[in-house]
Each structure stands twice: as C-alpha cells, then as structure tokens.
C-alpha cells in the first residue's frame, strides 16, 4: 500500500511539472509542442487543450488515491526493533505450545506473516511499539524474518491501545484465563475503568467472565508458580484454591512451596489436590505374579490413580471382560 501511495504521489508530481513546463513553453519563441500551431492564438488553444487533458488525468489519479484515504501503510520491519506492548497479554509459555509451533511453521513456509501485526510509532527517535500480533511477531523473531506490519500513524490513547489489542486477540487463538485476567487487571490498574462491570461492557464480554479471569490472575505468584504453566489454571481451580487460601493461607502457601521444588511435571489436577492438602504420592511399578510367573505390574501415579499394565499377548477380549468383571466385583463388595 505504501508503494502504491508513493507511485500515485510521484505520478501527480510529474503531471504537475509537465503542466507547468507546457505553460511556460507556450510563451517561448520556439516550438512549444509537437506539431505546433502557426499563430499565437493557435498555440494557446493547443496548449490549453493539452493542459485540460492533463488535468483530467490528474483528477483520475487523485480519485484512485482517495480510495486509500485513512488507510494505514504496511511495511516490513525488523522484529528486534519492535518493543512489546506494556499491556501484552501473551504469557511467554504461550510461545511453547503446539498451537504456536503450528503458527511458526506456517509463517516459515510462507516466508513471512501474511496477516500483518499492528504497531504504533512512539516518540521521535524511538522504535515502534507492538499493539497486537505478539505471536506473529515472536514467530518472525525466532525465524529471523522481517515482520509485515501495519503502522498506526495517528494518536493512540493508552485505553485505545488496550482495546485494540484485547479485541483482536479474542478473534484469534483464545487467551487462557490467566492471560485474559492479567490484561484485565492491567486495564483496571491504569484507571481506564472504574469497575469490572464497566470494563466488561467496554470489551463486550460478560462481567462474570471478567471476574473469573481476574480471580485466576490474582492468585499469589507462589501459587501460580506451583503449576507447570499458568495457562493451565482454570477459573474452577482458582475458585477452590482461593477458598482454601481464605481458610488457611499459610498452610496453602507452604504446600505451594513444596510443589514448586518438586522434580518433574504434575497433572493440573494433582497440583490442585496438593495445594488443597491431598497427599498424592506416585509409587513405582510393582510386579503382578501368578503361578505361571510375572504377567505385568501395577503402579500409582501422582494423581492418585492406580494403573494396571499386563504384558502384551496375554489378554484377549474375553479375558479383558473377565478382568473388568473381577474389578467391578471388588468395588461392589
């Protein structure tokens, strides 16, 4: 678009220069135009006719340019020169998901992002600031590719910046409750809105959803860090954890510290259970032995589930049904 605008501008300049030159030529002693008229009145009529033609051509070009009035130019920028938005709601863990990997692969295949990001020019001498498109920006930065960008060249308030980013992100890959809540909290901290209700109305979502996301974002950092990723925390998790914190915050935070120091990953349900005080310790595999010898093992995982594993080739459909019936009988007794 920027190239098209420049082409129209350059063409307009050329036409205006030609008009001025021909107007001057009409007053000179030599021939002004190809096939000049022999008399001064004739030369004047001939020049006026050419000027009218050029004016019509210029009007057509200006009409074409007018179609782009209010549009923003696109350009390729070095992603390293772009600073992240202070309202950025994409957690760094979101750049380690399968969805991000697919996006990155798609951009690599295309040789760059097809959908431009939006940046706003900061103070003179400073680089542009990212408004939305944090995942595309990150993908291009990791790939070492220039990022296709729309440049907002008009004044943009801080609230306008927040709204543009929030609405565009909701139309793409959904934010986690933690990311959305963090963004909502930043808007409230900035004083853009007096209440959660006013914020919900401004962004067009239900107030209850805003409240749930804020509950996730307001969990103490020690609690958030007990999870492998804050993107995993659901509003339902935050609700029961907050209830436990209200009852005995010291005990919950102590459990969180223990979970933070663990080795290896835990399922979200196991982390929640651990924070609430449920002791769910994983056990190593134990052999299952019959008269004919070992035929498998059983173990208990970190979520408290008991898992039986039978060696391959020993269980057909009939035996599987018999085993299920036997387990059912144990639980029925």
């Amino acid at each position: 678009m920027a190239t098209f605008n420049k082409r129209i501008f350059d063409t307009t300049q050329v036409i205006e220069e030609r008009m001025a030159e021909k107007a001057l030529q009409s007053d000179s002693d030599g021939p002004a135009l190809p096939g000049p008229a022999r008399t001064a009145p004739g030369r004047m009529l001939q020049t006026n006719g050419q000027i009218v033609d050029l004016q019509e051509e210029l009007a057509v070009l200006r009409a074409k340019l007018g179609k782009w009035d209010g549009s923003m130019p696109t350009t390729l920028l070095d992603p390293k020169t772009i600073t992240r938005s202070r309202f950025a709601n994409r957690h760094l863990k979101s750049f380690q998901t399968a969805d991000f990997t697919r996006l990155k692969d798609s951009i690599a295949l295309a040789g760059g992002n097809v959908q431009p990001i939006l940046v706003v020019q900061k103070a003179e001498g400073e680089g542009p600031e990212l408004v939305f498109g944090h995942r595309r920006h990150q993908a291009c930065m990791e790939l070492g590719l220039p990022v296709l960008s729309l440049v907002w060249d008009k004044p943009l308030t801080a609230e306008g910046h927040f709204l543009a980013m929030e609405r565009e992100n909701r139309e793409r890959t959904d934010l986690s409750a933690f990311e959305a809540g963090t963004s909502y909290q930043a808007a409230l901290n900035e004083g853009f809105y007096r209440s959660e209700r006013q914020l919900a109305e401004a962004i067009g979502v239900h107030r209850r959803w805003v409240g749930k996301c804020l509950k996730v974002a307001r969990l103490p950092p020690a609690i958030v860090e007990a999870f492998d990723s804050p993107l995993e925390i659901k509003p339902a998790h935050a609700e029961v954890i907050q209830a436990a914190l209200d009852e005995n915050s010291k005990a919950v935070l102590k459990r969180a510290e223990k979970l933070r120091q663990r080795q290896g990953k835990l399922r979200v349900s196991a982390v929640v259970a651990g924070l609430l005080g449920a002791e769910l310790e994983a056990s190593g595999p134990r052999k299952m032995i019959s008269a004919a010898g070992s035929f498998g093992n059983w173990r208990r995982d970190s979520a408290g589930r008991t898992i039986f594993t039978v060696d391959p080739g020993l269980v057909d459909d009939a035996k599987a049904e018999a085993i299920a019936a036997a387990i059912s009988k144990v639980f029925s007794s």
Side-chain angles (χ1 to χ4, degrees):
M1 191 187 311
T3 303
F4 177 79
N5 289 351
K6 187 176 185 303
R7 187 181 302 124
I8 295 294
F9 177 77
D10 291 345
T11 304
T12 302
Q13 278 193 319
V14 169
I15 291 174
E16 290 175 341
E17 288 171 1
R18 287 173 57 194
M19 290 171 57
E21 289 174 0
K22 291 185 178 182
L24 290 172
Q25 287 176 354
S26 65
D27 295 329
S28 64
D29 294 331
L33 299 168
R38 295 182 177 278
T39 63
R43 288 199 302 272
M44 184 175 294
L45 288 173
Q46 188 178 44
T47 301
N48 287 343
Q50 298 253 350
I51 290 174
V52 168
D53 291 340
L54 290 171
Q55 287 176 330
E56 291 175 353
E57 184 179 351
L58 179 59
V60 171
L61 291 172
R62 281 176 173 162
K64 290 181 179 179
L65 182 60
K67 294 179 181 179
W68 301 101
D69 188 32
S71 300
M72 291 180 289
T74 59
T75 186
L76 290 172
L77 297 175
D78 180 351
K80 294 179 181 178
T81 66
I82 302 172
T83 58
R84 282 168 58 87
S85 166
R86 60 191 170 113
F87 301 113
N89 52 14
R90 293 289 183 186
H91 191 274
L92 292 179
K93 285 282 187 179
S94 68
F95 303 137
Q96 301 170 14
T97 63
D99 280 342
F100 178 73
T101 299
R102 284 191 289 271
L103 173 67
K104 184 176 171 182
D105 290 344
S106 174
I107 289 175
L109 185 63
N113 56 310
V114 177
Q115 293 293 330
I117 66 172
L118 179 66
V119 300
V120 61
Q121 188 60 49
K122 297 170 69 177
E124 188 175 351
E126 297 184 25
E129 181 180 3
L130 190 53
V131 178
F132 60 66
H134 288 76
R135 296 168 77 243
R136 283 163 279 166
H137 170 257
Q138 181 70 22
C140 287
M141 187 148 55
E142 292 182 11
L143 292 167
L145 295 172
V147 58
L148 182 64
S149 310
L150 282 170
V151 181
W152 185 273
D153 54 2
K154 303 177 184 65
L156 183 65
T157 64
E159 182 183 358
H161 186 143
F162 163 75
L163 288 173
M165 181 197 66
E166 199 282 331
R167 287 172 177 163
E168 201 272 349
N169 278 339
R170 272 195 294 118
E171 292 174 0
R172 297 185 179 277
T173 301
D174 289 340
L175 294 171
S176 67
F178 179 82
E179 291 172 313
T182 301
S183 177
Y184 299 158
Q185 188 63 60
L188 291 171
N189 291 344
E190 290 285 339
F192 297 156
Y193 311 104
R194 294 190 301 274
S195 66
E196 294 177 16
R197 181 183 296 277
Q198 191 180 67
L199 184 148
E201 291 173 352
I203 63 179
V205 300
H206 200 284
R207 184 185 65 82
R208 190 174 301 169
W209 171 248
V210 170
K212 287 182 176 182
C213 292
L214 284 170
K215 187 167 289 188
V216 176
R218 288 169 177 168
L219 288 172
I223 299 293
V224 173
E225 291 168 10
F227 292 84
D228 290 319
S229 168
L231 310 185
E232 301 173 336
I233 308 174
K234 306 297 182 187
H237 300 148
E239 189 171 346
V240 296
I241 293 170
Q242 187 58 55
L245 284 166
D246 293 341
E247 183 177 342
N248 190 343
S249 62
K250 186 176 180 180
V252 177
L253 292 173
K254 185 177 180 179
R255 296 177 197 130
E257 183 59 31
K258 183 180 178 180
L259 286 165
R260 289 171 61 195
Q261 294 176 2
R262 72 183 183 274
Q263 297 293 324
K265 293 186 176 182
L266 283 181
R267 293 173 62 89
V268 178
S269 57
V271 176
V272 175
L275 290 170
L276 298 179
E279 294 295 333
L280 299 176
E281 297 294 337
S283 65
R286 304 179 190 180
K287 287 186 177 182
M288 296 188 294
I289 303 174
S290 69
S294 174
F295 62 89
N297 60 68
W298 69 271
R299 65 183 178 85
R300 187 168 288 117
D301 72 5
S302 58
R305 296 172 301 188
T306 302
I307 301 172
F308 294 89
T309 304
V310 180
D311 293 340
L314 298 180
V315 180
D316 56 18
D317 289 348
K319 287 183 179 179
E321 292 290 345
I323 292 170
I327 294 174
S328 178
K329 185 176 180 179
V330 169
F331 282 105
S332 300
S333 60

